[in-house]
Amino acid sequence: MAFTRRTFMRTALATGIAGALPLRGFAAQTMTLGGATLETVSDGNLVLPMNFVTDHEGALEKMASLGVTGDQVTPPCNVTLYRDGTNTVLFDVGAGPDFMPTAGKLLDTLDAMGVSPDEITHVVFTHGHPDHLWGVLDDFDDPLFANATHMMGKDEFDYWINPETVNTIDEGRQSFAAGALRRLQAMEDQIETFGADQEILPGIKSHASYGHTPGHMAFELRQGNDAVMIVGDAIGNHHLAFAAPDWVSGSDQNPDLGIETRMALLAYLADQQMPMVGFHLPEGGIGRVERADGVFRFVPEV
Protein backbone atom coordinates (compact mmCIF):
# COMPACT_ATOMS: atom_id res chain seq x y z
CA MET A 1 0.00 0.00 0.00
CA ALA A 2 1.51 3.33 -1.04
CA PHE A 3 0.62 6.96 -0.30
CA THR A 4 1.52 10.04 -2.31
CA ARG A 5 0.55 13.70 -2.24
CA ARG A 6 -0.32 15.75 -5.31
CA THR A 7 -1.34 19.34 -5.95
CA PHE A 8 -3.25 20.69 -8.91
CA MET A 9 -2.61 24.41 -8.49
CA ARG A 10 -0.93 24.73 -11.87
CA THR A 11 -4.01 23.42 -13.60
CA ALA A 12 -6.20 25.62 -11.41
CA LEU A 13 -4.29 28.73 -12.32
CA ALA A 14 -4.40 27.82 -16.00
CA THR A 15 -8.17 27.47 -15.88
CA GLY A 16 -8.62 30.60 -13.79
CA ILE A 17 -10.53 28.95 -10.97
CA ALA A 18 -7.94 28.75 -8.20
CA GLY A 19 -9.48 31.69 -6.39
CA ALA A 20 -12.72 29.77 -6.01
CA LEU A 21 -11.06 27.27 -3.67
CA PRO A 22 -9.60 27.59 -0.19
CA LEU A 23 -5.88 28.03 0.25
CA ARG A 24 -5.36 24.28 0.22
CA GLY A 25 -6.08 24.54 -3.51
CA PHE A 26 -6.53 21.23 -5.22
CA ALA A 27 -4.31 19.34 -2.81
CA ALA A 28 -5.22 15.68 -2.70
CA GLN A 29 -4.01 12.53 -1.08
CA THR A 30 -3.60 9.38 -3.10
CA MET A 31 -3.17 5.80 -1.98
CA THR A 32 -3.10 2.49 -3.79
CA LEU A 33 -4.87 -0.69 -2.74
CA GLY A 34 -3.63 -3.55 -4.86
CA GLY A 35 -4.48 -2.50 -8.40
CA ALA A 36 -6.96 0.17 -7.28
CA THR A 37 -6.40 3.86 -6.57
CA LEU A 38 -8.07 6.03 -3.95
CA GLU A 39 -7.85 9.83 -3.98
CA THR A 40 -9.35 12.46 -1.75
CA VAL A 41 -10.87 15.34 -3.68
CA SER A 42 -11.54 18.76 -2.13
CA ASP A 43 -15.05 20.17 -2.00
CA GLY A 44 -13.74 23.20 -0.11
CA ASN A 45 -14.42 23.66 3.59
CA LEU A 46 -17.14 24.50 6.10
CA VAL A 47 -17.23 27.37 8.58
CA LEU A 48 -18.88 26.29 11.83
CA PRO A 49 -19.29 27.70 15.35
CA MET A 50 -17.08 26.07 17.95
CA ASN A 51 -20.11 24.71 19.84
CA PHE A 52 -20.94 22.62 16.77
CA VAL A 53 -17.90 20.54 17.74
CA THR A 54 -19.04 20.24 21.36
CA ASP A 55 -20.40 22.35 24.19
CA HIS A 56 -18.89 20.04 26.79
CA GLU A 57 -17.66 21.78 29.93
CA GLY A 58 -13.96 22.55 29.49
CA ALA A 59 -14.14 22.19 25.69
CA LEU A 60 -12.50 25.54 24.92
CA GLU A 61 -9.59 24.79 27.23
CA LYS A 62 -9.22 21.32 25.78
CA MET A 63 -9.34 22.65 22.23
CA ALA A 64 -6.74 25.30 23.07
CA SER A 65 -4.45 22.58 24.43
CA LEU A 66 -4.80 20.90 21.04
CA GLY A 67 -3.90 24.10 19.19
CA VAL A 68 -7.45 25.09 18.19
CA THR A 69 -8.62 28.53 19.32
CA GLY A 70 -11.25 31.10 18.37
CA ASP A 71 -15.00 30.81 18.08
CA GLN A 72 -15.09 29.01 14.70
CA VAL A 73 -13.69 25.92 13.05
CA THR A 74 -13.14 25.47 9.30
CA PRO A 75 -13.11 21.73 8.61
CA PRO A 76 -12.11 20.58 5.12
CA CYS A 77 -14.48 18.51 3.01
CA ASN A 78 -12.74 15.47 1.49
CA VAL A 79 -14.75 13.58 -1.11
CA THR A 80 -13.26 10.17 -1.93
CA LEU A 81 -12.69 9.05 -5.53
CA TYR A 82 -11.98 5.32 -5.94
CA ARG A 83 -10.98 3.65 -9.21
CA ASP A 84 -10.41 -0.10 -9.54
CA GLY A 85 -10.14 -0.35 -13.33
CA THR A 86 -13.81 -1.25 -13.71
CA ASN A 87 -15.70 1.10 -11.41
CA THR A 88 -15.11 4.79 -10.74
CA VAL A 89 -16.79 5.52 -7.43
CA LEU A 90 -17.44 8.78 -5.58
CA PHE A 91 -18.15 8.53 -1.88
CA ASP A 92 -20.44 11.54 -1.27
CA VAL A 93 -20.80 14.46 -3.67
CA GLY A 94 -20.13 17.56 -1.59
CA ALA A 95 -22.40 20.49 -0.84
CA GLY A 96 -23.21 21.95 -4.24
CA PRO A 97 -23.88 25.70 -4.52
CA ASP A 98 -26.68 26.09 -1.97
CA PHE A 99 -25.10 25.36 1.42
CA MET A 100 -22.00 27.47 2.16
CA PRO A 101 -19.94 29.71 -0.13
CA THR A 102 -16.73 28.05 1.06
CA ALA A 103 -17.93 24.59 -0.03
CA GLY A 104 -19.33 23.14 -3.24
CA LYS A 105 -16.02 23.09 -5.13
CA LEU A 106 -16.06 19.43 -6.18
CA LEU A 107 -16.72 19.98 -9.88
CA ASP A 108 -13.88 22.48 -10.15
CA THR A 109 -11.54 20.03 -8.46
CA LEU A 110 -12.57 17.10 -10.63
CA ASP A 111 -12.19 19.27 -13.72
CA ALA A 112 -8.69 20.24 -12.67
CA MET A 113 -7.91 16.54 -12.29
CA GLY A 114 -9.28 15.79 -15.76
CA VAL A 115 -12.21 13.77 -14.40
CA SER A 116 -15.62 14.28 -16.01
CA PRO A 117 -18.87 13.68 -14.08
CA ASP A 118 -19.85 11.32 -16.90
CA GLU A 119 -16.98 9.01 -15.93
CA ILE A 120 -18.41 8.30 -12.49
CA THR A 121 -20.03 4.85 -12.46
CA HIS A 122 -21.26 4.88 -8.84
CA VAL A 123 -22.06 7.46 -6.18
CA VAL A 124 -22.14 6.01 -2.66
CA PHE A 125 -23.43 8.14 0.22
CA THR A 126 -22.23 7.90 3.80
CA HIS A 127 -25.27 9.95 4.91
CA GLY A 128 -27.70 12.67 3.92
CA HIS A 129 -26.31 15.86 5.46
CA PRO A 130 -25.96 18.86 3.10
CA ASP A 131 -22.18 18.77 2.68
CA HIS A 132 -22.41 15.13 1.55
CA LEU A 133 -25.63 15.08 -0.49
CA TRP A 134 -26.61 18.50 -1.82
CA GLY A 135 -24.16 18.37 -4.73
CA VAL A 136 -26.06 15.51 -6.37
CA LEU A 137 -28.16 17.67 -8.76
CA ASP A 138 -27.14 20.16 -11.42
CA ASP A 139 -28.62 23.64 -11.96
CA PHE A 140 -31.64 22.10 -13.68
CA ASP A 141 -32.30 19.62 -10.86
CA ASP A 142 -31.09 16.75 -13.03
CA PRO A 143 -28.57 14.19 -11.74
CA LEU A 144 -25.12 15.72 -11.97
CA PHE A 145 -23.49 12.28 -12.31
CA ALA A 146 -25.89 11.17 -15.00
CA ASN A 147 -24.27 7.80 -15.78
CA ALA A 148 -23.80 6.73 -12.17
CA THR A 149 -25.72 4.30 -10.03
CA HIS A 150 -26.51 6.11 -6.76
CA MET A 151 -26.45 4.10 -3.52
CA MET A 152 -27.46 4.89 0.07
CA GLY A 153 -28.06 2.82 3.18
CA LYS A 154 -31.76 1.93 3.45
CA ASP A 155 -32.24 3.31 6.97
CA GLU A 156 -30.62 6.60 5.94
CA PHE A 157 -32.65 6.88 2.74
CA ASP A 158 -35.92 6.08 4.51
CA TYR A 159 -35.22 8.73 7.15
CA TRP A 160 -34.53 11.61 4.76
CA ILE A 161 -37.16 10.69 2.15
CA ASN A 162 -39.86 10.77 4.84
CA PRO A 163 -41.76 14.10 4.62
CA GLU A 164 -42.33 13.96 8.40
CA THR A 165 -38.60 14.17 9.17
CA VAL A 166 -38.66 17.95 8.82
CA ASN A 167 -41.23 18.04 11.65
CA THR A 168 -39.34 15.73 14.00
CA ILE A 169 -35.74 16.85 13.50
CA ASP A 170 -34.37 19.64 15.71
CA GLU A 171 -35.06 23.17 14.51
CA GLY A 172 -31.45 23.87 13.54
CA ARG A 173 -31.50 21.00 11.07
CA GLN A 174 -34.91 21.51 9.48
CA SER A 175 -33.27 22.98 6.39
CA PHE A 176 -31.12 19.83 6.19
CA ALA A 177 -34.27 17.71 6.09
CA ALA A 178 -36.04 19.88 3.51
CA GLY A 179 -32.98 19.96 1.26
CA ALA A 180 -32.42 16.20 1.51
CA LEU A 181 -36.09 15.48 0.77
CA ARG A 182 -36.08 17.62 -2.38
CA ARG A 183 -32.94 16.00 -3.75
CA LEU A 184 -33.85 12.43 -2.87
CA GLN A 185 -37.32 12.82 -4.34
CA ALA A 186 -35.71 13.99 -7.58
CA MET A 187 -33.40 10.93 -7.50
CA GLU A 188 -35.77 8.40 -5.96
CA ASP A 189 -36.05 6.10 -8.99
CA GLN A 190 -32.28 6.09 -9.47
CA ILE A 191 -31.13 5.26 -5.93
CA GLU A 192 -30.36 1.72 -4.81
CA THR A 193 -30.42 1.02 -1.08
CA PHE A 194 -28.44 -1.50 0.95
CA GLY A 195 -28.01 -2.76 4.49
CA ALA A 196 -25.10 -3.02 6.88
CA ASP A 197 -22.34 -5.61 6.49
CA GLN A 198 -23.08 -5.93 2.79
CA GLU A 199 -20.65 -6.03 -0.13
CA ILE A 200 -22.28 -3.28 -2.16
CA LEU A 201 -19.64 -3.39 -4.93
CA PRO A 202 -16.66 -5.69 -5.46
CA GLY A 203 -14.21 -4.98 -2.65
CA ILE A 204 -16.50 -2.44 -0.91
CA LYS A 205 -18.35 -3.44 2.27
CA SER A 206 -20.79 -1.32 4.26
CA HIS A 207 -20.48 -0.92 8.03
CA ALA A 208 -23.23 0.53 10.24
CA SER A 209 -21.89 3.63 12.00
CA TYR A 210 -25.10 5.15 13.30
CA GLY A 211 -25.36 8.17 15.57
CA HIS A 212 -24.20 11.09 13.46
CA THR A 213 -27.37 10.37 11.50
CA PRO A 214 -29.87 7.51 11.94
CA GLY A 215 -28.42 5.41 9.11
CA HIS A 216 -24.84 6.66 8.67
CA MET A 217 -22.55 4.14 6.94
CA ALA A 218 -18.80 3.64 6.84
CA PHE A 219 -17.18 1.60 4.08
CA GLU A 220 -14.30 -0.84 4.14
CA LEU A 221 -12.45 -0.99 0.84
CA ARG A 222 -10.27 -4.07 0.43
CA GLN A 223 -7.97 -5.34 -2.31
CA GLY A 224 -6.10 -8.47 -1.21
CA ASN A 225 -4.26 -7.65 2.04
CA ASP A 226 -4.72 -3.90 1.59
CA ALA A 227 -7.70 -2.16 3.19
CA VAL A 228 -8.91 1.31 4.15
CA MET A 229 -11.99 2.52 6.01
CA ILE A 230 -13.99 5.49 4.76
CA VAL A 231 -15.55 6.82 7.96
CA GLY A 232 -17.61 9.76 6.70
CA ASP A 233 -18.60 11.85 9.72
CA ALA A 234 -18.59 9.02 12.26
CA ILE A 235 -15.21 10.52 13.26
CA GLY A 236 -15.87 14.16 12.58
CA ASN A 237 -12.70 16.06 13.48
CA HIS A 238 -9.02 15.51 14.24
CA HIS A 239 -9.01 16.98 17.75
CA LEU A 240 -11.82 16.20 20.23
CA ALA A 241 -13.08 13.16 18.33
CA PHE A 242 -9.70 11.56 19.10
CA ALA A 243 -8.61 13.21 22.35
CA ALA A 244 -12.06 13.09 23.98
CA PRO A 245 -14.11 10.58 22.00
CA ASP A 246 -16.52 10.08 24.91
CA TRP A 247 -17.61 13.74 24.80
CA VAL A 248 -20.85 14.63 23.04
CA SER A 249 -20.41 15.96 19.52
CA GLY A 250 -22.69 18.84 18.61
CA SER A 251 -22.90 17.54 15.05
CA ASP A 252 -24.35 14.13 15.99
CA GLN A 253 -28.11 13.75 15.77
CA ASN A 254 -28.01 10.95 18.36
CA PRO A 255 -25.09 12.02 20.58
CA ASP A 256 -25.01 8.94 22.83
CA LEU A 257 -25.02 6.53 19.91
CA GLY A 258 -22.47 8.73 18.17
CA ILE A 259 -20.11 8.32 21.13
CA GLU A 260 -20.57 4.55 21.13
CA THR A 261 -19.90 4.33 17.39
CA ARG A 262 -16.91 6.68 17.50
CA MET A 263 -15.16 4.88 20.34
CA ALA A 264 -15.70 1.45 18.78
CA LEU A 265 -14.49 2.62 15.37
CA LEU A 266 -11.39 4.33 16.77
CA ALA A 267 -10.47 1.23 18.77
CA TYR A 268 -10.98 -1.02 15.74
CA LEU A 269 -8.86 1.16 13.44
CA ALA A 270 -6.10 1.48 16.03
CA ASP A 271 -6.03 -2.25 16.75
CA GLN A 272 -6.10 -3.22 13.08
CA GLN A 273 -3.74 -0.40 12.05
CA MET A 274 -6.09 0.12 9.15
CA PRO A 275 -5.78 3.44 7.29
CA MET A 276 -8.85 5.64 7.32
CA VAL A 277 -10.36 8.44 5.26
CA GLY A 278 -12.23 11.14 7.18
CA PHE A 279 -14.46 13.59 5.36
CA HIS A 280 -13.51 16.45 7.70
CA LEU A 281 -9.98 15.45 8.67
CA PRO A 282 -6.92 17.53 7.70
CA GLU A 283 -4.17 16.94 5.12
CA GLY A 284 -6.55 15.31 2.67
CA GLY A 285 -8.19 13.16 5.33
CA ILE A 286 -6.11 9.98 4.94
CA GLY A 287 -4.28 8.78 8.01
CA ARG A 288 -4.13 6.31 10.87
CA VAL A 289 -5.43 6.12 14.41
CA GLU A 290 -2.89 5.70 17.20
CA ARG A 291 -3.49 5.19 20.89
CA ALA A 292 -1.96 7.98 22.99
CA ASP A 293 -2.19 8.40 26.77
CA GLY A 294 -5.32 6.32 27.06
CA VAL A 295 -7.15 8.02 24.18
CA PHE A 296 -6.31 8.42 20.50
CA ARG A 297 -4.65 10.70 17.99
CA PHE A 298 -4.90 11.14 14.23
CA VAL A 299 -1.67 10.73 12.27
CA PRO A 300 -2.02 12.01 8.68
CA GLU A 301 -0.36 10.10 5.87
CA VAL A 302 1.66 12.84 4.18
Side-chain angles (χ1 to χ4, degrees):
M1 188 184 304
F3 299 86
T4 62
R5 176 144 184 163
R6 309 193 305 181
T7 60
F8 299 97
M9 285 305 297
R10 181 174 299 176
T11 305
L13 292 171
T15 57
I17 58 175
L21 289 173
L23 290 177
R24 67 180 57 86
F26 294 106
Q29 284 238 27
T30 303
M31 65 181 294
T32 58
L33 287 85
T37 301
L38 179 150
E39 298 171 272
T40 54
V41 184
S42 177
D43 190 53
N45 67 277
L46 304 183
V47 179
L48 302 171
M50 186 69 79
N51 63 10
F52 202 72
V53 178
T54 186
D55 58 2
H56 195 283
E57 183 178 355
L60 293 181
E61 293 81 359
K62 185 69 170 178
M63 292 282 278
S65 74
L66 298 169
V68 183
T69 58
D71 58 2
Q72 291 182 330
V73 290
T74 55
C77 299
N78 306 303
V79 174
T80 299
L81 175 68
Y82 177 74
R83 294 182 271 197
D84 64 7
T86 300
N87 295 317
T88 298
V89 185
L90 273 182
F91 290 87
D92 297 324
V93 294
D98 299 328
F99 186 49
M100 287 188 182
T102 54
K105 315 302 182 184
L106 178 62
L107 281 185
D108 289 341
T109 311
L110 289 174
D111 183 64
M113 296 171 64
V115 178
S116 165
D118 291 340
E119 296 176 47
I120 305 303
T121 62
H122 297 81
V123 170
V124 179
F125 296 104
T126 60
H127 65 295
H129 277 169
D131 49 328
H132 299 256
L133 171 65
W134 283 18
V136 73
L137 300 178
D138 65 16
D139 292 339
F140 302 96
D141 279 354
D142 292 322
L144 183 58
F145 303 96
N147 297 328
T149 299
H150 292 66
M151 309 178 75
M152 180 179 277
K154 187 177 189 308
D155 289 346
E156 188 75 359
F157 178 81
D158 289 347
Y159 177 75
W160 294 110
I161 199 71
N162 184 351
E164 284 303 308
T165 294
V166 72
N167 299 318
T168 58
I169 202 169
D170 65 270
E171 184 177 355
R173 291 185 171 93
Q174 286 179 342
S175 64
F176 292 13
L181 177 62
R182 181 173 76 80
R183 288 162 177 83
L184 291 179
Q185 283 180 330
M187 297 288 299
E188 187 168 4
D189 294 337
Q190 296 160 275
I191 292 181
E192 296 181 2
T193 60
F194 54 86
D197 299 316
Q198 182 177 333
E199 187 174 43
I200 64 169
L201 289 168
I204 301 176
K205 184 179 180 180
S206 61
H207 287 271
S209 47
Y210 305 159
H212 183 70
T213 59
H216 188 287
M217 288 285 183
F219 299 95
E220 181 179 335
L221 280 56
R222 183 172 293 276
Q223 293 282 334
N225 293 324
D226 292 340
V228 63
M229 186 76 76
I230 296 174
V231 302
D233 284 4
I235 301 173
N237 60 70
H238 65 289
H239 29 75
L240 289 187
F242 289 81
D246 57 342
W247 287 12
V248 164
S249 169
S251 67
D252 288 345
Q253 291 185 220
N254 183 332
D256 291 338
L257 184 55
I259 290 171
E260 181 181 334
T261 292
R262 183 163 54 251
M263 294 186 69
L265 191 53
L266 286 166
Y268 177 79
L269 292 169
D271 292 344
Q272 298 295 317
Q273 275 299 286
M274 182 185 294
M276 62 177 288
V277 183
F279 193 86
H280 294 303
L281 300 185
E283 303 293 344
I286 300 178
R288 294 181 185 271
V289 180
E290 290 186 354
R291 295 184 185 272
D293 300 324
V295 286
F296 303 93
R297 66 175 179 176
F298 175 65
V299 181
E301 297 279 358
V302 293

